[in-house]
Amino acid sequence: MEFFKIGDKFIINMKKILSYFFVPGKSPGKSIVVLLLLISIIAHIELKGQGKAITKKNITFIDYPDFPEAHSTWGSIGYNAKYNSVFIGVTNHHDKVGFYEYNASLQEMKLKGFINDLGYLRPYQWQAKIHSKIIFGADGTAYFTTDGGESREEYLMDHPQGYVGGFFMKWNPATSMMTNLGMAMPYESLKDIEIDPATNTLYAITYPQAHFIVYNPAKNDLLDLGRLSSSHVPRVLFTDWWGNCYYVDWRQRLVKYEKEKGCLVFDKNSLPAFEGTPGAKIITGITAFAKDEKNKIIYILTYGAKILAFHPQKEGIGSVEDLGGVADTGNQPEWGPYVPNLNFGNNGNLYYFVGGHGNYIKKDTGVLMEFNPNTKIRKIIYEFSSEELAEATGSDIKDKDGNLYFAGRCAGNEEGNSTVQPKAFMIKFNPEKEVQK
Amino acid sequence: MKIFIKILLVLFLLIQRQDSLFAQFTFFNPKESFAIEVSLPNSDLKRLPIYRNSISSMIVTGDYIIGGTSANEGLTPFVFTASLKQQQVVEVIDFNLVIPGQQAIPTGFCRGNNSTFYAGTLANKKAGGAEGDGHLFNAEIGQEGTISIKDLGIPIPGEGIISLTLDSEKKILYGVSYPSGLFFKFVIDTREIKTYKNIAVTDKQKELYKEYEQGPQNYLCKSLIQADGLIFGSMPVNTIFYFDTKTESFNIMKDIPEVWGRRTMGQIESWARSANGEIYGGNAGDGQLFEIDPVTKNLRNLGKPIGMNRLRGLAFGDDGKLYGIAGSKPGYSHLFSYDEKEGFVDFGNPEFKMTAHGIEQGILWRGFQFGTLASSEDGKYIVMGEDESLSQLLIFAVGSKNEPRVGE
């Protein structure tokens, strides 16, 4: 469809140009040379404007070395602008979390260590995941939180084996030093983290009781602002340009921590949702976000598969635009697709993988979508079998060259007869140029 | 031969069934049970704002649940009504507009005559840090769930009220003050007040509690029950007393059942009385349920419903079972039932469907922390009030069939 639009425009342009150069009864002469030059210039402009075709050379999967048990990654990825590097927490989904740095300049992935060693954790302080983003202060210091995240923490009620965790952790990339900043609440995981870079104030959300935490590491001041959500805890926090932090309540209304007033502000209205979106989807809120800093827009994906454009304002809650659904779902409900990732390309388009947790728009197939927020046109770029790529996580990870990163994992299939073992890897993608590992 | 093979196949499948690996927890969510949204900031609906809604007092009259809340320090509470039939809040009263400066309504509501209910308050501290003056009040509930509050005054200046019970025939309220733990008698019609120091915390006891980082909330009597002219409660340290209203005398009865090493935590925080007159109590310190024979005063320790301490609410359902909430921070509250035949049954964290304007499809609400529990007058409903920054009501329809949802 897009191809024909480009073609039509090109033919119209050509007709106009030819009428100037080919006057009936006159010899073409030098006009042909000038015309050829003009044609090449116009074609160049047209191609540049539309971008080159995206091929498999625009994407690559990068393995995590020295960790054969690397099972999965759960949103535990972030970009450090100071060092032009991507940090990732990779788990065996039981008790071991590898902390990785991918140096985007050197194109090199390195294991920096395991957090139980780096953070001086004892065996009874096992952590099953980093479930949070990895975020950075203005000086490049990394912060993340840890999560119990597996059966003995989630399903053995009241913690007979005593889950000790939900730690805030700090990593100094210059000295390769990990500092354990302590817990927020007893027996609670920390699912996500955010930062106000101006003050290094950290925000976090606990699991399973969904308490909103504000923590100042410099003063060791921790504020528990109480429970904000329902049965299934929304996993995503994000901040605006002023360092205010956002979450959602059980009605999928934005809740803002307004840092200057030091209080929570609740939106009056819920975020847009498709008619018939089940309550279980509503209460889980937001799955991913990406920021368009230039235009001051934060793009949001919901558990109910909506793409939204949020225009934050310094005081109060800003406006929200409904940009539609994440994918064409055919005769399936539009609220169905699961998208726990989002990136914003330098070309102004949004990119996200649809699928995961047994929830695909095509059976056992993970797809990468491109969405133009201006035209609201979306298209499938790649399709992967779930044995290649089942699920991707990560919000707003872009390096200085416009490469976009996702934390990916492959899995088996719906029938459960696949021989493929779950495995984690990083995805590097650039819609505008080929990428290298 | 074919029949023989079929029988073998059926037996094989049955054996496989018995070897089920079922281990993951399920949520207790019977179909007829439901949640009512009580708290929601920035809403045009009748809802309570954040940090002022911890449901600390509750009683049910007819179709209406009456709730009294506790607020964070410096903030003020609410009284509200919610309809069981409509499954929504019908009336909300900002308590500060009626009696200013109060922080909490912790006493529960005592049922009087003509839809009048009595309760007491804890006040916010005065400017300068002195203890505030708690009030007694009554709330009249109208036909449509409307609330009319009347201030009955300050029984003891500089003290709040932490527990209360009513002799409805004589129209006398009996209570315990906070933080001193003075026992008092308040005649409603004449507002005559009489105080007793018999169960108050002594200086020596305060020193002991200080050693264990325990404050008045940890050792004062949190709940009183009136039975045939006797008022039962607890006093420091780990002791049960009863007050004889006829002779106006105190009797030190027994120790609260304790687990070794937790004696200083002994405190009765809930009571319920069965149809045949037995009294059941809950110990905050260790979470034991116990039974008192009101005639012989014999006490029987019935054990603990779950592994945690706290037992914050008790009430009987129409099935004759005693329901309660056990456990609290840093763990989670569990709903449990008890009867002689079955013993304890732990239902875990209830998770009921909450439906309201704007969430017509319903969302599941999981109760982690409960502050109080009450049964409807007909015993068909057990109502639990949350103790959260945004607290809701969860209502269990007694006898409804559980359709467990596997936790995830």
Side-chain angles (χ1 to χ4, degrees):
Chain A
M1 192 70 187
E2 279 296 303
F3 174 79
F4 290 115
K5 278 184 187 166
I6 296 166
D8 291 349
K9 204 174 170 187
F10 190 76
I11 288 164
I12 292 161
N13 287 340
M14 283 300 293
K15 279 182 180 171
K16 280 183 187 170
I17 291 159
L18 288 172
S19 65
Y20 283 115
F21 288 92
F22 294 99
V23 180
K26 284 193 175 180
S27 163
K30 288 177 186 172
S31 297
I32 289 178
V33 178
V34 176
L35 177 63
L36 287 172
L37 276 170
L38 275 172
I39 288 170
S40 85
I41 290 164
I42 291 165
H44 176 76
I45 291 166
E46 285 284 352
L47 282 173
K48 198 175 178 189
Q50 294 301 328
K52 290 177 189 172
I54 296 172
T55 72
K56 286 271 169 132
K57 289 181 178 174
N58 293 65
I59 192 166
T60 188
F61 295 174
I62 299 170
D63 285 336
Y64 300 115
D66 308 318
F67 191 14
E69 306 157 67
H71 170 280
S72 49
T73 37
W74 303 95
S76 46
I77 181 168
Y79 173 68
N80 191 338
K82 184 174 178 187
Y83 294 91
N84 192 34
S85 58
V86 179
F87 285 82
I88 315 102
V90 183
T91 177
N92 67 353
H93 211 267
H94 183 58
D95 60 0
K96 203 171 178 183
V97 184
F99 192 64
Y100 283 87
E101 180 180 7
Y102 175 75
N103 185 316
S105 305
L106 300 174
Q107 300 186 354
E108 186 179 63
M109 178 74 83
K110 269 191 179 173
L111 174 65
K112 308 304 286 184
F114 293 96
I115 62 160
N116 46 329
D117 298 326
L118 297 169
Y120 297 97
L121 303 181
R122 306 279 87 85
Y124 62 82
Q125 293 173 309
W126 51 266
Q127 305 303 313
K129 294 172 192 167
I130 299 172
H131 196 290
S132 74
K133 294 183 285 293
I134 298 174
I135 52 161
F136 304 90
D139 63 353
T141 301
Y143 299 89
F144 62 90
T145 55
T146 66
D147 176 32
E150 52 116 27
S151 297
R152 60 182 153 163
E153 188 258 356
E154 296 199 49
Y155 305 142
L156 291 178
M157 285 292 100
D158 302 315
H159 315 299
Q161 296 176 8
Y163 172 63
V164 182
F167 294 112
F168 287 96
M169 296 272 194
K170 178 171 106 172
W171 170 259
N172 184 335
T175 60
S176 288
M177 279 287 291
M178 186 83 77
T179 307
N180 184 343
L181 299 172
M183 294 167 26
M185 285 173 70
Y187 310 118
E188 288 275 300
S189 289
L190 291 173
K191 280 288 181 194
D192 200 14
I193 190 170
E194 262 299 349
I195 189 167
D196 168 18
T199 61
N200 275 351
T201 298
L202 301 174
Y203 307 106
I205 195 75
T206 77
Y207 172 95
Q209 295 185 77
H211 281 230
F212 186 84
I213 305 291
V214 181
Y215 178 51
N216 181 336
K219 295 180 180 171
N220 194 32
D221 272 352
L222 190 139
L223 268 178
D224 176 356
L225 294 184
R227 182 182 178 188
L228 296 185
S229 201
S230 182
S231 287
H232 198 246
V233 178
R235 265 66 165 165
V236 174
L237 297 168
F238 64 92
T239 50
D240 62 20
W241 332 113
W242 303 278
N244 303 306
C245 186
Y246 297 82
Y247 190 58
V248 284
D249 70 7
W250 59 93
R251 285 174 169 254
Q252 206 175 265
R253 305 184 312 169
L254 283 173
V255 182
K256 176 187 185 185
Y257 178 75
E258 219 160 71
K259 71 171 198 181
E260 285 190 6
K261 290 181 185 161
C263 68
L264 294 169
V265 178
F266 290 75
D267 198 355
K268 199 159 198 171
N269 302 308
S270 300
L271 291 173
F274 287 111
E275 199 179 331
T277 303
K281 292 265 183 184
I282 296 291
I283 61 175
T284 318
I286 291 167
T287 53
F289 69 90
K291 293 175 183 174
D292 175 359
E293 296 238 12
K294 190 179 151 196
N295 295 304
K296 301 294 177 209
I297 300 169
I298 301 174
Y299 293 102
I300 293 168
L301 296 182
T302 69
Y303 239 85
K306 277 268 185 192
I307 308 176
L308 310 172
F310 173 49
H311 305 266
Q313 58 192 43
K314 192 173 181 185
E315 280 187 29
I317 310 271
S319 61
V320 175
E321 270 180 89
D322 183 353
L323 301 183
V326 296
D328 181 1
T329 56
N331 56 5
Q332 297 299 308
E334 288 176 290
W335 43 258
Y338 177 57
V339 189
N341 61 82
L342 187 64
N343 270 315
F344 181 70
N346 280 348
N347 59 3
N349 290 331
L350 292 164
Y351 294 92
Y352 49 90
F353 287 91
V354 184
H357 279 64
N359 189 342
Y360 302 98
I361 49 170
K362 289 190 175 182
K363 189 172 181 286
D364 290 331
T365 305
V367 300
L368 177 64
M369 304 282 302
E370 179 183 78
F371 180 84
N372 183 325
N374 298 316
T375 62
K376 298 180 186 171
I377 291 169
R378 63 190 174 214
K379 62 183 179 189
I380 293 175
I381 296 177
Y382 301 122
E383 294 188 8
F384 297 97
S385 79
S386 58
E387 294 180 336
E388 293 174 285
L389 174 67
E391 183 169 352
T393 57
S395 285
D396 207 25
I397 308 120
K398 179 164 65 179
D399 71 16
K400 68 181 176 61
D401 298 316
N403 296 310
L404 308 176
Y405 298 88
F406 301 86
R409 63 185 284 259
C410 62
N413 55 20
E414 201 175 290
E415 280 76 28
N417 56 11
S418 170
T419 55
V420 170
Q421 292 298 310
K423 183 188 156 192
F425 46 84
M426 189 181 74
I427 302 164
K428 183 177 179 181
F429 168 70
N430 193 322
E432 296 179 304
K433 58 186 178 189
E434 294 175 5
V435 293
Q436 305 294 319
K437 281 186 189 287
Chain B
M1 190 62 187
K2 275 183 183 174
I3 291 170
F4 180 69
I5 290 168
K6 279 180 183 172
I7 291 168
L8 273 180
L9 184 65
V10 168
L11 283 172
F12 173 77
L13 290 171
L14 281 172
I15 289 163
Q16 295 302 306
R17 173 76 182 151
Q18 282 171 354
D19 279 346
S20 162
L21 286 173
F22 174 71
Q24 200 163 319
F25 77 99
T26 56
F27 280 111
F28 179 64
N29 43 14
K31 206 176 173 185
E32 289 82 10
S33 300
F34 56 93
I36 297 177
E37 189 181 56
V38 174
S39 306
L40 183 73
N42 194 18
S43 172
D44 292 333
L45 302 170
K46 280 183 182 168
R47 298 291 185 269
L48 307 185
I50 195 165
Y51 307 135
R52 298 175 63 191
N53 56 65
S54 167
I55 302 165
S56 46
S57 289
M58 203 162 58
I59 197 164
V60 185
T61 177
D63 180 46
Y64 296 108
I65 301 161
I66 308 166
T69 72
S70 292
N72 284 9
E73 200 175 331
L75 301 176
T76 55
F78 285 87
V79 176
F80 67 89
T81 51
S83 162
L84 287 163
K85 279 183 197 150
Q86 297 172 52
Q87 300 187 9
Q88 64 174 329
V89 172
V90 293
E91 177 76 301
V92 164
I93 298 286
D94 184 341
F95 202 77
N96 200 42
L97 302 177
V98 186
I99 305 174
Q102 307 305 300
Q103 187 190 345
I105 303 167
T107 57
F109 289 100
C110 305
R111 196 183 300 273
N113 302 320
N114 305 321
S115 299
T116 303
F117 299 86
Y118 296 87
T121 66
L122 295 176
N124 277 305
K125 286 202 183 331
K126 292 176 182 171
E131 290 291 336
D133 305 323
H135 286 242
L136 289 167
F137 69 94
N138 73 33
E140 278 186 30
I141 306 304
Q143 296 273 322
E144 306 296 320
T146 53
I147 306 163
S148 171
I149 291 172
K150 185 178 170 190
D151 186 1
L152 300 178
I154 300 163
I156 307 171
E159 294 276 324
I161 301 151
I162 191 167
S163 52
L164 199 67
T165 190
L166 172 71
D167 181 336
S168 58
E169 279 180 23
K170 293 178 183 163
K171 294 182 75 180
I172 297 173
L173 289 164
Y174 296 92
V176 175
S177 78
Y178 178 99
S180 301
L182 298 167
F183 188 84
F184 68 85
K185 172 186 168 185
F186 180 84
V187 182
I188 294 169
D189 288 340
T190 63
R191 302 204 180 183
E192 181 194 341
I193 177 102
K194 192 172 178 184
T195 58
Y196 306 83
K197 290 184 177 172
N198 304 56
I199 65 160
V201 64
T202 65
D203 288 345
K204 202 173 171 185
Q205 286 167 338
K206 277 198 247 181
E207 281 300 308
L208 172 81
Y209 282 117
K210 201 176 167 188
E211 197 180 319
Y212 294 92
E213 288 291 323
Q214 307 247 47
Q217 282 286 359
N218 307 111
Y219 56 73
L220 291 183
C221 177
K222 271 193 174 160
S223 185
L224 294 166
I225 191 166
Q226 194 263 128
D228 309 323
L230 303 179
I231 293 165
F232 292 84
S234 69
M235 58 184 280
V237 173
N238 199 61
T239 303
I240 302 174
F241 77 90
Y242 66 86
F243 176 78
D244 188 327
T245 58
K246 286 175 194 157
T247 60
E248 299 208 342
S249 61
F250 287 85
N251 296 275
I252 307 303
M253 219 182 92
K254 294 262 167 96
D255 279 0
I256 303 170
E258 67 180 270
V259 171
W260 175 66
R262 290 192 175 178
R263 186 172 169 75
T264 51
M265 297 170 75
Q267 177 194 42
I268 294 170
E269 61 177 348
S270 55
W271 292 106
R273 196 170 187 203
S274 68
N276 56 13
E278 285 129 356
I279 300 168
Y280 293 84
N283 177 13
D286 284 310
Q288 298 98 334
L289 180 72
F290 59 88
E291 181 187 353
I292 294 175
D293 183 319
V295 179
T296 64
K297 311 291 185 298
N298 283 337
L299 185 148
R300 190 159 71 107
N301 183 357
L302 301 173
K304 289 162 63 86
I306 63 169
M308 282 183 284
N309 58 352
R310 302 303 299 268
L311 216 155
R312 298 178 78 176
L314 286 170
F316 279 91
D318 70 348
D319 56 0
K321 290 180 186 171
L322 180 61
Y323 289 88
I325 44 175
S328 186
K329 290 172 189 170
Y332 317 140
S333 304
H334 295 215
L335 174 68
F336 72 91
S337 71
Y338 172 81
D339 74 0
E340 280 287 338
K341 274 188 187 170
E342 270 188 337
F344 289 110
V345 177
D346 177 7
F347 300 109
N349 296 157
E351 185 196 62
F352 300 157
K353 198 171 187 177
M354 183 158 82
T355 308
H357 178 68
I359 42 171
E360 283 81 3
Q361 73 274 58
I363 63 161
L364 288 173
W365 191 265
R366 178 179 177 183
F368 285 107
Q369 306 295 339
F370 291 112
T372 186
L373 173 145
S375 58
S376 58
E377 286 181 282
D378 58 9
K380 290 189 186 307
Y381 294 100
I382 299 293
V383 185
M384 293 161 273
E386 285 191 317
D387 173 15
E388 298 276 9
S389 50
L390 291 161
S391 308
Q392 322 297 357
L393 289 168
L394 282 91
I395 294 105
F396 164 52
V398 175
S400 61
K401 193 184 168 195
N402 189 20
E403 293 175 355
R405 182 179 79 82
V406 176
E408 57 178 345

